[in-house]
Amino acid sequence: MALQNRLKPLLFHIIVLGLGLLMLYPVFWLLSSSVKPTTEIFTSKGLWPSAITFEHYHNGWFGLRNIQFGRFFLNSIMICVLAVIGTIISSSMAAFSFARIDFPLKKLFFALMLGTIMLPGHVTLIPQYIFFHKLGWVDTFLPLTVPKFLGDAFFIFLIVQFIRGIPRELDESAKIDGCGWLTLFVRIILPLSSPALITAAIFTFMGTWDDFFGQMIYLSDVNKYTVPLGLRLFLDSSGSSNWGSVFAMSVLSIVPSLLIFFLGQKYFTQGIATTGIKG
Amino acid sequence: MQKYKTYLAGYLFLLPWLIGFVFLCLSPIAASLYLSFTNYDLLTSPKWVGLANYRAMFTDDYRMMDSIKVTFQYVFLSVPLRLVFALVVAVVLNQGIRLLGFYRTIYYIPSLLGGSVAISVLWKQVFGKEGIFNQALAWFGIDGPNWVADPRYAIFSLVGLSVWQFGSVMIIFLAGIKQIPGELYEAATVDGAGVMRKFWRITMPLLTPVIFFNLTITLIQSFQTFTKAFIISNGTGGPINSTLLYSLYLYIKGFSFHEMGYASAMAWVLLVVVALITGIMFLSSRYWVFYSDGRE
């Protein structure tokens, strides 16, 4: 009986860990293939390379004519940083308004805002494209960044839920001290909402980083390409001849997401659990 | 006076979202409805054709038929599988509290990376003729096909990629399970209920709101899957339309063939289908979703 009680948790851990590692096996394989000598990638059975080489990283980084992968990273980072700043400012403003200020038609707007969360993006996609086309914004970063400064329904909802948890007495005492709405927002509500803001920032960054579709339809000049577009271009140009470099660049393209995930893990799980963002 | 100042403040804070709502949501919805009744190639002005786009979709567009078939296959295979995996693993993880955070991270990583181009590229290799999936099958003496290039199986590699990302759904289930009062399980144990009985009689009923939530969200998202199908099929939806998910076909129509009117009609059909399914979900929920606070 005593033995059984000790064996059961052990068995549990072995199964759960084993299944988890099995699921991650493709990712480990990607990692190992990126440092294996080319001849070994599809022939060797194991994960462990006979020799570690970084030539795939070098060849991949400098693998395209006239342009380096660094350019794609700079472009992606620029778009993501603007997207995060825009989303945080505009979504927190709207959330503050919904959560704390009373004005006519508030309920209607709130319901409409929630409704847009469920709306498939396809319905707005084509007119938006035509609109940006008419503005002359196609093949610039503007269609990928400016809309982020106009709020995101999902994050507005997330922040509203959070602000509702902040005691209203704080608002009252701030008003007695003569604070206006702006001071209340900037000095009190924003600092107290930082967990929700960080969650929104993380998800915005990752969503924008992986937004292959949006970047593909709006960007066509290679110099403006982002990491996902660069990776696809590289895949097409080097094709099956150079898988090592494709894998090496694939690894680099997922590093930012992993890094942010491990830095902000606490906010991550909270964010998913409360809103159901898929990530 | 004070009152109007408050109103003004409310609208000022809401202004960025309001502008976005009007220009990036409301008017595009109206515009796409109008465009769906026209032929429009972005260069010449839209030409009114009435219901022709809708009629063409369901009568003489054979690729459309393939696309609808593939999309339903994808959605109705991947959504239940993803939810079942997520629920089972969540329930199992909840048993052993130690290292929960660690395991949660491991199982979440596929969801974290799954939407990227890198993983789709990888997936194409994993399920290729010489890929690691077939290497594993070879241990059991099975000679696997090239899963990605065979029209009979290509959709299953997409389903597999989707199910592989069950981690985010699992985290929501874990949060839901944590809300179930422990006393219920203690009382059931005292009454002699086994593990399975506790699962079916306590966990499942109390988790129905979370299941409902996950089911709705996952369904809506699955109808809109794009990147996987695009990368794995090189943007073609092939072989023989076997991975032509609806979003991919919409993209091809709108942005490769510049049939913006037709693509808008497709978007509206998608909207109606998603709305119908969501509606049916909500209507059916009163028969199977159980709110412990007595809310209907």
Side-chain angles (χ1 to χ4, degrees), chain A residues 1 18 27-28 44 63 91 103 107 129 145 147 151 164 196 216 249:
Chain A
M1 192 63 196
V27 180
F28 294 136
S44 80
S91 303
F103 55 89
K107 286 221 165 92
Y129 182 84
T145 50
R164 280 180 179 159
M216 181 174 63
M249 292 305 103

Side-chain angles (χ1 to χ4, degrees), chain B residues 21 23 25 55 73 153 157 163 169 199 216 232 236 277 287:
Chain B
F21 180 66
F23 288 99
C25 197
R55 211 175 298 130
Q73 249 182 345
Y153 305 118
S157 61
V163 177
V169 181
F199 174 75
T216 312
I232 289 179
T236 63
I277 290 182
Y287 300 105

Side-chain angles (χ1 to χ4, degrees), chain B residues 39-158:
Chain B
N39 280 341
Y40 184 44
D41 61 4
L42 210 60
L43 299 172
T44 51
S45 52
K47 206 170 85 226
W48 184 267
V49 294
L51 286 169
N53 286 329
Y54 291 96
R55 211 175 298 130
M57 279 172 71
F58 295 106
T59 51
D60 41 49
D61 186 349
Y62 73 96
R63 282 191 89 185
M64 182 73 186
M65 290 299 131
D66 284 347
S67 175
I68 291 174
K69 202 184 88 193
V70 167
T71 308
F72 274 103
Q73 249 182 345
Y74 171 78
V75 170
F76 288 112
L77 277 174
S78 68
V79 173
L81 282 173
R82 197 174 187 174
L83 259 72
V84 167
F85 266 97
L87 181 59
V88 169
V89 175
V91 168
V92 170
L93 282 189
N94 203 51
Q95 308 294 312
I97 299 304
R98 285 177 63 189
L99 295 177
L100 174 66
F102 172 69
Y103 291 132
R104 201 170 48 193
T105 303
I106 289 191
Y107 285 99
Y108 181 69
I109 285 178
S111 292
L112 177 76
L113 304 177
S116 64
V117 169
I119 293 299
S120 292
V121 170
L122 169 68
W123 213 252
K124 222 175 152 174
Q125 291 313 306
V126 169
F127 285 96
K129 181 70 187 146
E130 311 293 328
I132 49 179
F133 186 68
N134 278 347
Q135 284 178 19
L137 286 183
W139 290 349
F140 303 99
I142 302 168
D143 180 29
N146 184 340
W147 299 90
V148 183
D150 190 321
R152 280 171 301 173
Y153 305 118
I155 189 68
F156 297 109
S157 61
L158 290 185

Side-chain angles (χ1 to χ4, degrees), chain A residues 13 16 23 97 104 122 128 265, chain B residues 10-11 24 103 105 107 164 247:
Chain A
H13 283 292
V16 172
M23 274 182 58
S97 182
H122 303 73
Q128 275 184 15
Q265 209 180 350
Chain B
Y11 276 105
L24 298 177
Y103 291 132
T105 303
Y107 285 99
W164 186 60
S247 295

